[in-house]
Amino acid sequence: MFNSVCTMEVSDSEPLNTEPLDTETAPSTTRRRRKKSMVWEHFTVEVVSDGCTRACCKLCKQTFAYSNGSKVAGTSHLKRHIALGSCPKIKNLENQQHALASATRIDGDTSDPPKKRYRTSGFVNVFDQEQSYMYLAKMIIVHEYPLHMVENPAFVSFVQSLQPRFKMIDVNAMEGEVLSVYHKEKQNLMQIFGTMPGRISLTIGLWTTSQTLGYICVSGQYIDSDWKLHRRMINFMLVSSPHSENALSEAISVSLSEWNMKTKLFTITLDNNCSSHDIYSANLRDHLSNKNTLMLKGQLFVVRCYANILNVVAQDVIASIHGIVYNIRESVKFVKASPAREEKFAEIALQIGIPGTKALSLDVTTLWNTTYLMMEAALEYKEAFTFLETCDDNYNEAPSADDWKKVEVVCTFLKLLYDSAHTIMTTIDQTANVFFQEAWKVQLELANGTLSEDTMVSSIAKEMHEKFDKYWKDCSLVLAISVVMDPRFKMKLVEFSFAKIYGEDSARFIKVVNDSIHELYLEYVSQPLQLMPAYVDEGEANHMNGNDNNPPATPNSTGDGLLDFDVYLSEMAVNQSTKSELDQYLEESLVPRIQGFDILNWWKLNNLKYPTLSKMARDVLAIPVSMVGTGCSIFGSGTGSRVLDDYRSSLRPETVEALFCAKDWLQYLPTMTEPPSTAIVKLEF
């Protein structure tokens, strides 16, 4: 705070004292050392008694210890008094200078005096009211704080203690700041979408409010020019009747128009509460089909969420044995009610010879994975629970032998779903290809379970398979085409898995996938593609070998005058019956299945080799097969509509959209909140 006062006194010709600050010794009686420290421009040394002196501030007249006999206090505390604004006279002087500078800027009669150069450790921290408003708005958005916190007396006092010059605003002004952040980030995202090389796939989710209103959440997933996967929320709009026939179609149409994506839509992924009929029955599909924007005649248009089907199947089978689950839950509660009971139960388990590899735990009733883990752990102690019932009159909740058998069967199938969900959640980039291998294993195991001779196993498997089979029939084509775009599997995994699922009838289903992927490829061939010269192979080879220093040549860069020759070769290639990129790709050997394989990087490196097929792969791999993003729990996604709390339900729809969308966008910024520099002027003496 003492920038203008203390720094102007520095002389450029005066040498700096490089000795340690706090190790000054008393001046010699025969030869007094000249004080070089800058603080002596603002302090005088006064003798208090024999051998004792104090430093007196010239401005405020406060005194500070300096020397006592041979001991010298140093000058660090004197510097702090001057440089950090502890001196009241300096603080008043600084305020007067600020006021004078402001008046000068307004009148325009005088010019600022030339600034003297001084050494600093960084930029001076300048308070910016508008910037502080922006940071406050971002904090409220990101952390979901209520807007009215700006009128909370405790929060206002806290902010004032940090920066007295900050003028707190009211709720209405804060709402305006939030909308300002939203519109700014929206413009940035629209510019990104404008340069997007491929198509975009949407996800549609429903939210309800405490009233009879509802919101539709629209997000888009795409792969950028650097082959990075992204998902961004683009709309969170209010609809009066979210379950009406045309609500979803209208919301999608508005989003496509607002973001200029009418010709870029590839697929739409729906959660469990959205009906495909709402999409197909309205005019959206016909409208897009008339514009020739739907690929493969719309066969890939609607995708069901994989996370939702796992939750539906798991929660339904748990509900079918809810009585047994209740007994297990109460049994675990009984044991864990006191340390004495836990100790007694452990002794029983030890006597019976139970290894006790799992610890008993209670579940969260809304998270089926915790219920599965509770049942799985209790299953290991089933004999201990039975014995406990015989020796403790207070316990009578032990499941029967048939109940334990049913729990064992249910846990066997739940483990299949649990492992699949865990694999998806731990995948960094959830490209569409990773879901086929998970889905076909679940489909196969449930189908095999229905054929079991054990009536209990077959009945439980049949109930689960009936729901999952519907998902498989709706989405197996999308999943199969996606895994064909994986160079580690291609059509081979489709052939292998379909043979196990469909048996002798597998050839018919394999042909459907093969025909569909060739038809889809031909649609991409018919689209304009940048001319790739015949001599690009050398550059391509360098790129494949990791040598990116020599970019592939282009007709304009070579200057050999053979551009017409390249056009001629391209026309000849089209007319000749040569193998297509797709056929070359399918016939080549599979890429080794190594750990950490990056499919997006593989296509990035092979973009020149397969220019058309890579465009198709970019769009297919970007299909959001699961609406649950990376790092989020599949188990917590639930099967019902998500509900807005009462506070957000009371806000204006445009404010709700701004809060939800801006929060999603801000989390992807390199720096969430980049605070102004906190460096202060550092005086050097």
Side-chain angles (χ1 to χ4, degrees):
M1 298 180 63
F2 184 60
N3 306 336
S4 58
V5 177
C6 62
T7 56
M8 294 178 63
E9 301 292 332
V10 178
S11 172
D12 293 337
S13 62
E14 181 180 347
L16 298 178
N17 179 18
T18 59
E19 295 182 11
L21 297 177
D22 296 319
T23 58
E24 294 184 11
T25 59
S28 171
T29 56
T30 58
R31 182 178 180 183
R32 183 177 298 275
R33 188 179 63 181
R34 177 174 174 263
K35 293 184 175 62
K36 298 180 180 180
S37 178
M38 182 180 169
V39 299
W40 300 116
E41 296 292 334
H42 307 281
F43 286 88
T44 59
V45 178
E46 298 179 356
V47 178
V48 178
S49 60
D50 293 339
C52 180
T53 61
R54 292 183 68 83
C56 178
C57 177
K58 294 180 180 179
L59 296 176
C60 68
K61 304 305 180 182
Q62 293 186 48
T63 62
F64 302 84
Y66 179 59
S67 67
N68 185 5
S70 61
K71 296 182 180 180
V72 179
T75 59
S76 296
H77 60 307
L78 306 181
K79 297 170 189 174
R80 288 194 293 268
H81 177 72
I82 299 297
L84 299 183
S86 299
C87 180
K89 294 291 185 179
I90 293 177
K91 186 176 297 185
N92 293 336
L93 179 61
E94 186 182 37
N95 291 337
Q96 293 175 9
Q97 289 176 343
H98 279 301
L100 179 61
S102 300
T104 302
R105 286 194 295 269
I106 295 174
D107 295 338
D109 296 332
T110 58
S111 58
D112 294 335
K115 297 180 179 179
K116 290 194 174 184
R117 298 174 60 186
Y118 53 92
R119 300 177 65 180
T120 68
S121 62
F123 294 104
V124 180
N125 183 17
V126 179
F127 172 68
D128 189 326
Q129 183 81 40
E130 296 301 321
Q131 192 177 50
S132 297
Y133 287 152
M134 179 191 67
Y135 289 136
L136 178 57
K138 288 184 177 181
M139 181 189 75
I140 288 176
I141 292 170
V142 171
H143 297 287
E144 300 183 4
Y145 295 137
L147 295 176
H148 59 259
M149 73 176 294
V150 296
E151 296 180 350
N152 187 308
F155 179 71
V156 174
S157 299
F158 169 71
V159 174
Q160 290 296 317
S161 70
L162 298 177
Q163 177 53 267
R165 294 165 59 190
F166 180 80
K167 297 179 180 179
M168 188 60 72
I169 55 180
D170 59 17
V171 173
N172 293 331
M174 193 70 254
E175 186 177 16
E177 291 293 331
V178 168
L179 292 172
S180 178
V181 172
Y182 163 74
H183 289 300
K184 178 182 178 181
E185 297 302 327
K186 183 176 181 179
Q187 289 300 319
N188 294 337
L189 188 57
M190 289 192 75
Q191 293 179 4
I192 295 175
F193 284 164
T195 59
M196 185 171 56
R199 290 175 173 257
I200 192 169
S201 292
L202 302 181
T203 66
I204 311 295
L206 296 183
W207 286 69
T208 59
T209 67
S210 54
Q211 296 95 4
T212 58
L213 301 175
Y215 282 84
I216 292 180
C217 177
V218 183
S219 297
Q221 185 159 298
Y222 64 97
I223 295 174
D224 65 14
S225 57
D226 196 37
W227 288 89
K228 302 296 182 183
L229 183 67
H230 301 277
R231 181 182 295 185
R232 298 290 185 272
M233 187 182 298
I234 59 177
N235 284 106
F236 196 88
M237 61 187 69
L238 176 71
V239 289
S240 57
S241 303
H243 295 284
S244 64
E245 180 177 336
N246 294 325
L248 294 182
S249 295
E250 291 176 359
I252 295 170
S253 297
V254 169
S255 296
L256 293 176
S257 300
E258 185 177 339
W259 292 86
N260 300 320
M261 294 180 182
K262 287 186 176 180
T263 60
K264 293 186 175 183
L265 178 62
F266 192 56
T267 64
I268 296 176
T269 302
L270 306 175
D271 67 14
N272 189 55
N273 295 282
C274 300
S275 171
S276 302
H277 178 74
D278 297 340
I279 302 294
Y280 288 119
S281 63
N283 297 325
L284 177 65
R285 177 173 174 165
D286 293 337
H287 173 72
L288 295 174
S289 298
N290 291 336
K291 290 183 175 293
N292 297 317
T293 58
L294 289 185
M295 307 298 291
L296 203 59
K297 300 177 182 179
Q299 294 184 65
L300 310 179
F301 188 44
V302 175
V303 182
R304 308 302 306 192
C305 175
Y306 184 71
N308 281 154
I309 189 60
L310 291 182
N311 288 335
V312 168
V313 174
Q315 291 177 4
D316 284 355
V317 72
I318 290 175
S320 68
I321 59 168
H322 64 90
I324 304 175
V325 174
Y326 173 82
N327 286 342
I328 293 176
R329 187 179 296 120
E330 292 301 313
S331 298
V332 175
K333 284 183 184 179
F334 181 85
V335 172
K336 298 179 73 67
S338 68
R341 288 181 180 176
E342 285 189 285
E343 184 177 353
K344 180 180 180 180
F345 188 79
E347 292 176 357
I348 293 174
L350 186 62
Q351 292 176 4
I352 298 176
I354 298 174
T357 57
K358 297 182 177 66
L360 292 177
S361 62
L362 284 171
D363 66 333
V364 178
T365 56
T366 56
L367 302 176
W368 68 264
N369 61 310
T370 62
T371 304
Y372 157 68
L373 295 174
M374 179 186 71
M375 292 191 297
E376 185 184 42
L379 193 62
E380 184 175 336
Y381 295 94
K382 61 181 180 180
E383 295 179 3
F385 281 114
T386 302
F387 186 86
L388 179 64
E389 192 173 36
T390 62
C391 63
D392 192 330
D393 295 335
N394 295 320
Y395 173 65
N396 55 7
E397 302 288 351
S400 65
D402 289 340
D403 289 343
W404 283 119
K405 180 181 179 182
K406 187 171 290 187
V407 169
E408 185 175 0
V409 174
V410 168
C411 283
T412 300
F413 290 118
L414 282 180
K415 184 179 187 305
L416 184 67
L417 307 182
Y418 177 84
D419 290 344
S420 181
H422 189 265
T423 299
I424 296 300
M425 288 191 301
T426 55
T427 302
I428 298 177
D429 285 326
Q430 293 182 6
T431 47
N433 60 297
V434 303
F435 292 87
F436 178 84
Q437 189 171 358
E438 298 303 316
W440 84 263
K441 287 189 296 185
V442 173
Q443 172 72 2
L444 177 63
E445 293 299 326
L446 292 179
N448 290 341
T450 61
L451 305 177
S452 174
E453 296 181 355
D454 189 321
T455 56
M456 183 178 294
V457 174
S458 60
S459 62
I460 293 175
K462 187 175 182 179
E463 180 182 353
M464 298 175 69
H465 181 260
E466 183 178 349
K467 295 179 178 65
F468 194 87
D469 186 57
K470 185 178 186 304
Y471 169 84
W472 176 257
K473 289 177 180 177
D474 289 342
C475 299
S476 59
L477 180 60
V478 174
L479 297 176
I481 290 178
S482 301
V483 82
V484 172
M485 292 294 97
D486 191 329
R488 298 169 297 174
F489 302 113
K490 303 181 183 179
M491 281 295 297
K492 300 301 182 183
L493 184 58
V494 175
E495 296 166 359
F496 172 79
S497 59
F498 278 21
K500 289 184 172 293
I501 293 174
Y502 300 112
E504 296 179 355
D505 202 25
S506 62
R508 179 167 61 91
F509 293 94
I510 294 172
K511 185 177 185 303
V512 171
V513 175
N514 188 67
D515 292 347
S516 297
I517 199 167
H518 278 83
E519 183 180 347
L520 181 62
Y521 170 74
L522 291 177
E523 293 186 28
Y524 278 88
V525 170
S526 65
Q527 297 176 4
L529 184 66
Q530 183 180 1
L531 178 65
M532 301 299 293
Y535 47 77
V536 80
D537 290 343
E538 180 178 357
E540 173 193 325
N542 290 333
H543 190 71
M544 289 295 294
N545 292 330
N547 182 10
D548 293 328
N549 295 326
N550 300 320
T554 61
N556 294 330
S557 63
T558 57
D560 59 3
L562 294 178
L563 179 60
D564 292 341
F565 175 65
D566 295 320
V567 174
Y568 166 76
L569 291 178
S570 299
E571 293 175 348
M572 292 293 294
V574 172
N575 295 328
Q576 293 176 354
S577 57
T578 57
K579 290 183 179 179
S580 66
E581 291 178 24
L582 176 59
D583 289 332
Q584 292 179 37
Y585 167 78
L586 294 177
E587 292 178 7
E588 288 181 352
S589 301
L590 300 181
V591 172
R593 300 194 310 276
I594 58 175
Q595 189 175 6
F597 175 76
D598 188 341
I599 186 172
L600 295 181
N601 188 58
W602 188 91
W603 279 105
K604 178 181 180 180
L605 295 177
N606 287 272
N607 186 38
L608 294 177
K609 184 177 182 180
Y610 303 114
T612 300
L613 191 60
S614 63
K615 290 178 60 179
M616 174 175 152
R618 186 196 303 272
D619 294 339
V620 170
L621 294 176
I623 297 175
V625 178
S626 171
M627 294 181 62
V628 181
T630 303
C632 299
S633 173
I634 287 180
F635 311 112
S637 62
T639 58
S641 297
R642 285 154 289 187
V643 182
L644 282 181
D645 56 36
D646 291 340
Y647 169 70
R648 298 216 168 187
S649 298
S650 68
L651 297 175
R652 294 189 303 154
E654 54 267 34
T655 304
V656 175
E657 181 172 44
L659 289 170
F660 271 86
C661 291
K663 179 186 178 182
D664 179 75
W665 302 337
L666 290 174
Q667 67 175 315
Y668 298 106
L669 294 182
T671 304
M672 178 69 67
T673 53
E674 187 175 353
S677 173
T678 57
I680 62 172
V681 174
K682 179 181 178 182
L683 304 178
E684 297 193 18
F685 305 101

